[in-house]
Amino acid sequence: MRNEPLYDEILRRNPGEPEFHQAVREVLETLDPILQARPELAEARVVERICEPERQIIFRVPWVDDAGRVQVNRGFRVEYNSALGPYKGGLRFHPSVNLGIVKFLGFEQIFKNALTGLGIGGGKGGSDFDPHGRSDAEVMRFCQSFMTELHRHLGEHTDVPAGDIGVGGREIGYLFGQYRRITNRWEAGVLTGKAPGWGGSLARPEATGYGAVLFAAEMLRVRGEDLDGQQVVVSGSGNVAIYAAEKALALGANVLTCSDSSGYVVDDKGIDVALLKQVKEVERGRVADYAERRGSSARFVADGSVWDVPADVALPCATQNELDEAAAAVLVRGGVKAVSEGANMPTTPEGVRVLTEAGVAFGPGKAANAGGVATSALEMRQNAARTVWTFAEVEEALTDIMRDIHTTCHETAERYGAPGDYVRGANIAGFERVADAMLAQGLI
Ligand code: GLU
């Protein structure tokens, strides 16, 4: 690849950040055709500039737990690229969060957000705080401390966070409350993923999972198929997985699995989404609890991989690098036809190679899971207009956006000599939108 020296330089300047290196490499590897076709981009060193975040913020988050002990976490916000709009991207609260993870997510977000066509830049943030086992009061105190520092960097025209792993409606509520208190402003558009009663958009919780299924449906449609009657494996059991399962069921598929860090569940009768929502969202339980409550059709498997379950369509909706080379080979042997990434970078590069070489339709996260952030942009639009759309209006807009993203990726891949290669299509199309904006706006 032309960018090999740049990649070496990135390795040297960003040591110890393997996920970030992986995300950058995957993009750089696909850009040769466009850099060849558009030498002015190379001349303006657009790729070098895109790889360097505009701003990286790291801060201390002190808070007091229920036992009265002082706890100290680390907070991050990487404001990666604002050529197309305010920085936009979620906050992740998980013990694995470090600067490299936030940079990988922020880097992906630039291209994902560009693909939506909705005028949003790329950013990401979070903390190594682990919400599991914490009381509501502890989560609130953590969120208040986190926002006390972060608020000075945010604004509806500057940087607009949302949820990601470990950050859902509850956390967004506490974060918004603290932002409002400190700034004395009702600035609805400063955060997305709010509850519908106070500025949130209907269908935002559903959007990422629904979108990943709509993307899978589009990939199948190109091959003359649809989701009706297909067997689907879903990994994860958070917001993305739950609503991916719900949409796949609505389109006539049978959803066999869900998972968490302790294992996976196979449900011969198909996942009961209402029960899964109850266990995960209301009781904040585990998938083992789901299996226990569901009865004889479901069994919990503590070791092994959810990808061992043969299926027509796989929807990785848990976390990065959860689907590796070996798992991809098992999926291929099981006859998988399409993989649509609901999570961010859930498939390893070797896994992607195995799937694509076997002719599996592969939808990369930055295209397939863009429905979440796209609906966040629709939430910002509703906030700016001080209006509220119906569920049906939001869902219709989401469906159109996912179809457009699919078409863009498909056509771009074809134009650059790689028909059916959605990775190349997504990277080149997303890159070109950002690169054109950066060129036009001068050396900044
Ligand atoms: N965290 C989500 C993502 O990975 C959503 C971000 C947003 O809505 O801003 O795209």
Side-chain angles (χ1 to χ4, degrees):
M1 78 180 170
R2 292 163 75 110
N3 284 310
E4 201 68 59
L6 169 61
Y7 182 68
D8 289 343
E9 178 72 1
I10 285 168
L11 287 183
R12 193 184 63 74
R13 293 177 74 207
N14 303 273
E17 298 178 352
E19 294 84 3
F20 175 60
H21 302 156
Q22 181 184 334
V24 168
R25 183 159 191 103
E26 187 226 86
V27 171
L28 295 189
E29 274 177 350
T30 55
L31 295 183
D32 281 2
I34 183 169
L35 295 175
Q36 200 134 13
R38 308 222 11 218
E40 75 276 18
L41 296 176
E43 204 168 302
R45 303 197 70 192
V46 173
V47 186
E48 287 82 344
R49 285 154 60 197
I50 277 190
C51 289
E52 185 68 17
E54 289 176 14
R55 191 174 298 108
Q56 307 182 51
I57 303 148
I58 305 180
F59 51 98
R60 179 171 66 203
V61 189
W63 56 283
V64 180
D65 68 19
D66 285 347
R69 272 190 306 265
V70 172
Q71 302 279 343
V72 182
N73 285 99
R74 188 172 286 176
F76 301 90
R77 187 73 181 165
V78 174
E79 298 182 333
Y80 221 119
N81 194 298
S82 58
L84 292 177
Y87 307 107
K88 183 81 197 86
L91 298 170
R92 176 176 293 192
F93 291 169
H94 191 270
S96 65
V97 167
N98 57 40
L99 183 61
I101 296 275
V102 178
K103 278 164 68 182
F104 120 63
L105 291 162
F107 185 74
E108 293 255 312
Q109 201 84 45
I110 303 170
F111 307 98
K112 183 197 307 198
N113 294 4
L115 282 172
T116 69
L118 293 174
I120 38 180
K124 202 86 185 191
S127 174
D128 56 0
F129 171 71
D130 186 359
H132 274 122
R134 291 294 179 191
S135 68
D136 273 0
E138 289 179 314
V139 170
M140 181 177 75
R141 287 195 295 273
F142 174 80
C143 288
Q144 290 178 338
S145 180
F146 185 88
M147 186 53 93
T148 300
E149 180 57 34
L150 188 63
H151 85 276
R152 69 190 83 246
H153 303 287
L154 305 184
E156 62 181 331
H157 302 297
T158 308
D159 186 351
V160 182
D164 196 81
I165 293 172
V167 177
R170 173 182 61 167
E171 290 75 16
I172 293 295
Y174 296 148
L175 291 164
F176 186 77
Q178 186 73 351
Y179 182 86
R180 189 168 61 72
R181 187 177 194 193
I182 293 174
T183 60
N184 194 30
R185 281 164 65 88
W186 180 272
E187 193 183 336
V190 74
L191 287 172
T192 61
K194 302 178 295 295
W198 45 275
S201 176
L202 291 166
R204 175 62 190 89
E206 290 83 353
T208 312
Y210 278 21
V213 172
L214 293 169
F215 199 88
E218 285 299 292
M219 293 195 296
L220 289 171
R221 189 181 53 74
V222 168
R223 296 171 171 225
E225 292 198 56
D226 59 28
L227 273 164
D228 194 24
Q230 308 275 11
Q231 305 295 321
V232 175
V233 281
V234 174
S235 67
S237 51
N239 162 269
V240 181
I242 288 172
Y243 291 104
E246 183 169 286
K247 190 63 170 178
L249 284 168
L251 295 179
N254 185 28
V255 179
L256 298 166
T257 60
C258 60
S259 70
D260 60 26
S261 57
S262 63
Y264 69 95
V265 168
V266 197
D267 193 331
D268 296 332
K269 280 210 217 130
I271 294 291
D272 177 343
V273 173
L275 177 60
L276 185 59
K277 277 185 196 168
Q278 171 67 22
V279 169
K280 290 292 303 187
E281 292 184 338
V282 182
E283 298 163 20
R284 298 190 185 270
R286 312 286 291 170
V287 295
D289 304 324
Y290 167 92
E292 208 179 283
R293 296 262 284 281
R294 177 74 163 141
S296 61
S297 74
R299 62 182 187 285
F300 174 68
V301 184
D303 39 17
S305 158
V306 68
W307 312 118
D308 292 340
V309 180
D312 304 304
V313 175
L315 304 173
C317 298
T319 193
Q320 66 271 2
N321 292 330
E322 55 162 315
L323 202 173
D324 62 10
E325 185 174 17
V330 175
L331 279 176
V332 168
R333 277 201 298 279
V336 75
K337 292 182 263 197
V339 175
S340 184
E341 293 188 325
N344 289 314
M345 207 170 75
T347 316
T348 65
E350 299 77 26
V352 176
R353 191 175 38 75
V354 168
L355 294 169
T356 47
E357 280 177 11
V360 177
F362 177 76
K366 59 172 84 70
N369 73 37
V373 75
T375 306
S376 279
L378 301 179
E379 183 171 329
M380 292 161 73
R381 190 179 288 180
Q382 292 169 72
N383 294 153
R386 292 180 164 273
T387 191
V388 176
W389 298 0
T390 64
F391 190 98
E393 284 171 320
V394 180
E395 197 182 9
E396 197 185 319
L398 167 66
T399 307
D400 288 347
I401 291 165
M402 293 314 297
R403 289 201 180 122
D404 285 350
I405 293 174
H406 174 272
T407 306
T408 301
C409 296
H410 197 258
E411 289 179 357
T412 306
E414 230 155 58
R415 191 162 64 249
Y416 286 96
D421 184 341
Y422 292 97
V423 174
R424 204 168 280 267
N427 288 347
I428 294 178
F431 169 77
E432 193 165 27
R433 281 191 183 155
V434 184
D436 280 338
M438 289 175 72
L439 266 191
Q441 292 172 27
L443 186 55
I444 46 168

